[in-house]
């Protein structure tokens, strides 16, 4: 059923997202949805379109634009991921991504805080978000919790034990995520290095990736990181994921050669992907994803 | 077999030889992680429930469940006898298993019987039944005690709260799912 108020809210807030980035000197870009090779990621399955693919994220094309010398870019576009459907997932969804040269993942956290406060103002909500029966304060300082701390605080084992037992994802979903972003939004940061396929390793601790996720009301909203700029390391990581796919009986896709070719020209940068439908859910008081899009696949 | 991508609310599956219904289902995928299927399952025989998280390569067996329309014939001690409307085959269901439903069974009533491996494990009654009130305190007009309802007993022995104007001999409609009074039936 079409929820008109949900769609109106969505329209206003997408305009607010645009105003925010345009006001800060970002160039809006519009890269192709249909590409020859998405970034190989073990747990993300692309839809094939003839012998190419629908993008799972605009990440690779946007980084090529950074490499071409454009320092600040953003894009609001559709992404497609096979087999993802639930109260918080659609196989076709809307993503906001932004990339900036000379910045790191900590700067992106600051961007997130400023962006959500801006959107809250644009929607006339002020700085207090009412969601899921609780209240979140966007104005104060947001929680910054490392992955290791989150496991120590909420999970039945340490992050190292979870990785060794192959229970990282389960612990995250069952024990950790429900606690995140309750009184204020939470940045969960410093992921184990193997869980940041395109992220730069932390200089002070190479077992960690400079990657974070933003959570509000237990819902994962955005994934950002300091970008890996080393083409040899990047190729090695892609190869590992492609091997992992083959080991699971999945058809490994092609290597994104044009991206790897351009990567040496890319400056130090940080980039982030934020689920637009997810953010709309938060501003629609924690509604299911079905309520904030015009149609879901089952209605088509 | 159901693979994890088939999981949904209401799915009936079999685990360790027992039938279960999936009462809650949530698709999860923690940032860049694998797809996880969080499920709550209720044992259709014992009623016990538990939560389990499945991965995309996990599978669950389909429960060997069958629903048949049967007619209630009579009770023999604590055994209630039902007959299959097409095969005329008869089977007995224990009173304990029927719970409160025994109060709403009328001779020759059609019900849906849920069978697991040929064994009856549940009965779905029509949503509403009409029963005669066999015992009720008289309604004192002008009663100012302020109570909105009074207890009455119906022909099957079931006791429920009804509005004060319901009298002995009245036929009333009861919702079999909640056991609550719906309306007085004029005949």
């Amino acid at each position: 059923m079409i929820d008109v108020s949900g769609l109106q809210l969505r329209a206003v807030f997408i305009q607010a997202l645009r105003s925010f980035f345009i006001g800060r000197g970002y160039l809006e870009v519009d890269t192709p949805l249909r590409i020859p090779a998405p970034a190989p990621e073990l747990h993300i399955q692309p839809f094939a379109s003839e012998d190419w693919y629908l993008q799972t994220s605009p990440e690779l094309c946007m980084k090529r634009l950074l490499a071409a010398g454009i320092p600040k870019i953003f894009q609001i576009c559709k992404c497609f991921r096979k087999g993802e459907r639930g109260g918080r997932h659609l196989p076709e969804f809307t993503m906001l991504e932004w990339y900036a040269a000379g910045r790191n993942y900590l700067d992106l956290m600051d961007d997130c805080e400023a962006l959500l406060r801006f959107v809250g103002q644009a929607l006339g909500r002020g700085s207090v978000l009412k969601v899921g029966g609780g209240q979140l304060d966007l104005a104060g300082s947001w929680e910054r919790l490392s992955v290791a701390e989150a496991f120590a605080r909420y999970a039945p084992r340490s992050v190292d034990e979870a990785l060794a037992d192959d229970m990282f994802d389960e612990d995250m979903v069952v024990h950790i995520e429900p606690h995140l972003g309750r009184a204020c939004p939470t940045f969960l940061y410093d992921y184990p290095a193997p869980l940041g396929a395109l992220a730069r390793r932390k200089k002070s601790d190479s077992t960690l990736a400079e990657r974070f996720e933003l959570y509000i009301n237990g819902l994962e909203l955005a994934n950002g990181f300091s970008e890996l700029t080393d083409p040899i390391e990047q190729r090695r990581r892609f190869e590992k994921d492609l091997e992992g796919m083959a080991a699971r009986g999945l058809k490994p896709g092609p290597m994104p050669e044009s991206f790897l070719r351009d990567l040496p020209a890319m400056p130090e940068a940080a980039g982030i992907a934020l689920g637009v439908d997810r953010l709309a859910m938060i501003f629609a008081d924690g509604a299911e994803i079905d309520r904030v899009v015009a149609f879901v696949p089952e209605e088509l | 077999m159901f693979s994890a991508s088939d999981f949904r609310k209401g799915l009936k599956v079999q685990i360790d030889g027992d039938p279960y219904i999936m009462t809650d289902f949530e698709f999860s995928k923690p940032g860049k992680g694998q797809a996880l299927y969080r499920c709550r399952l209720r044992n259709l025989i014992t009623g016990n429930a538990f939560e389990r998280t499945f991965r995309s390569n996990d599978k669950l067996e389909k429960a060997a469940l069958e629903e048949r329309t049967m007619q209630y014939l009579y009770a023999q001690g604590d055994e209630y006898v039902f007959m299959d409307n097409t095969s005329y085959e008869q089977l007995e269901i224990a009173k304990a298993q029927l719970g409160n439903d025994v109060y709403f069974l009328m001779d020759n009533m059609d019900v849906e019987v849920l069978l697991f491996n040929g064994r009856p494990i549940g009965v779905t009654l029509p949503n509403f039944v009409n029963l005669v009130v066999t015992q009720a305190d008289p309604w004192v007009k002008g009663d100012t005690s302020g109570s909105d309802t009074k207890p009455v007993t119906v022909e099957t022995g079931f006791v429920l709260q009804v509005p004060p104007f319901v009298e002995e001999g009245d036929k009333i409609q009861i919702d079999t799912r909640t056991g609550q009074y719906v309306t007085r039936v004029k005949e």
Side-chain angles (χ1 to χ4, degrees), chain A residues 210-277:
Chain A
E210 289 190 356
R211 173 190 159 202
F212 72 93
E213 296 265 359
L214 169 61
Y215 284 89
I216 292 185
N217 194 38
L219 184 68
E220 175 202 340
L221 275 184
N223 173 39
F225 41 87
S226 308
E227 302 294 347
L228 175 68
T229 50
D230 175 351
I232 295 160
E233 169 74 2
Q234 186 67 78
R235 179 183 292 276
R236 200 185 54 74
R237 293 190 195 175
F238 283 161
E239 277 167 353
K240 198 164 165 257
D241 269 5
L242 290 172
E243 283 163 19
M245 286 178 208
R248 283 166 183 243
L250 300 164
K251 186 174 161 272
M255 185 64 82
E257 293 295 348
S258 47
F259 164 71
L260 289 170
R261 192 187 59 228
D262 287 355
L263 191 53
M266 191 174 104
E268 293 289 316
I272 176 167
L274 183 149
V276 170
D277 312 299

Side-chain angles (χ1 to χ4, degrees), chain B residues 126-137:
Chain B
N127 290 344
F128 301 103
V129 291
N130 296 337
L131 295 171
V132 175
V133 176
T134 52
Q135 198 196 321
D137 293 334

Side-chain angles (χ1 to χ4, degrees), chain A residues 37-295:
Chain A
E41 289 196 63
L42 191 52
H43 300 301
I44 297 180
Q45 303 305 316
F47 286 100
S49 167
E50 296 187 326
D51 47 357
W52 282 19
Y53 298 90
L54 298 180
Q55 70 174 3
T56 55
S57 149
E59 181 165 2
L60 302 188
C61 280
M62 291 184 78
K63 287 186 187 172
R64 292 180 69 192
L65 293 176
L66 284 180
I70 313 176
K72 289 159 84 175
I73 49 178
F74 81 99
Q75 174 160 210
I76 296 170
C77 62
K78 293 287 189 176
C79 295
F80 304 83
R81 296 180 182 181
K82 216 181 202 171
E84 301 196 3
R85 179 70 176 111
R88 295 172 292 173
H89 290 84
L90 285 169
E92 172 180 343
F93 60 100
T94 304
M95 193 90 104
L96 161 67
E97 296 207 2
W98 69 97
Y99 292 82
R103 293 168 70 85
N104 63 34
Y105 73 141
L106 299 172
D107 300 320
L108 288 175
M109 294 185 201
D110 296 340
D111 285 352
C112 287
E113 294 186 0
L115 174 67
L116 263 68
R117 287 177 192 139
F118 183 89
V119 172
Q121 296 293 335
L123 292 175
R125 302 287 174 87
S127 66
V128 176
L129 257 183
K130 288 200 175 84
V131 54
Q135 282 200 352
L136 268 104
D137 187 9
L138 297 180
S141 60
W142 294 9
E143 183 183 32
R144 296 189 182 199
L145 183 66
S146 77
V147 172
E149 285 170 324
F151 270 81
R153 194 181 295 178
Y154 303 120
R157 69 203 113 213
S158 72
V159 61
D160 292 333
E161 286 162 347
L163 287 169
D165 296 350
D166 187 23
M167 288 296 286
F168 184 91
D169 290 338
E170 274 87 351
D171 284 346
M172 198 58 111
V173 164
V174 176
H175 300 294
I176 298 175
E177 286 188 340
H179 297 288
L180 305 180
R182 293 296 172 185
C184 66
T186 300
F187 292 110
L188 190 65
Y189 70 97
D190 282 358
Y191 276 69
L195 303 181
L198 293 111
R200 183 174 77 192
R201 285 177 193 240
K202 218 172 148 85
K203 282 196 182 81
S204 58
D205 183 349
S206 65
T207 66
L208 298 174
E210 289 190 356
R211 173 190 159 202
F212 72 93
E213 296 265 359
L214 169 61
Y215 284 89
I216 292 185
N217 194 38
L219 184 68
E220 175 202 340
L221 275 184
N223 173 39
F225 41 87
S226 308
E227 302 294 347
L228 175 68
T229 50
D230 175 351
I232 295 160
E233 169 74 2
Q234 186 67 78
R235 179 183 292 276
R236 200 185 54 74
R237 293 190 195 175
F238 283 161
E239 277 167 353
K240 198 164 165 257
D241 269 5
L242 290 172
E243 283 163 19
M245 286 178 208
R248 283 166 183 243
L250 300 164
K251 186 174 161 272
M255 185 64 82
E257 293 295 348
S258 47
F259 164 71
L260 289 170
R261 192 187 59 228
D262 287 355
L263 191 53
M266 191 174 104
E268 293 289 316
I272 176 167
L274 183 149
V276 170
D277 312 299
R278 294 268 181 96
L279 191 56
M281 288 163 68
I282 295 291
F283 281 105
D285 191 17
E288 287 216 324
I289 200 162
D290 297 34
R291 271 200 51 214
V292 299
V293 296
F295 295 101

Side-chain angles (χ1 to χ4, degrees), chain A residues 15-26 111 114-116 118:
Chain A
Q15 275 194 349
L17 297 176
R18 283 213 159 82
S19 316
F20 177 84
F21 287 103
I22 292 167
R24 291 178 162 228
Y26 280 73
D111 285 352
L115 174 67
L116 263 68
F118 183 89

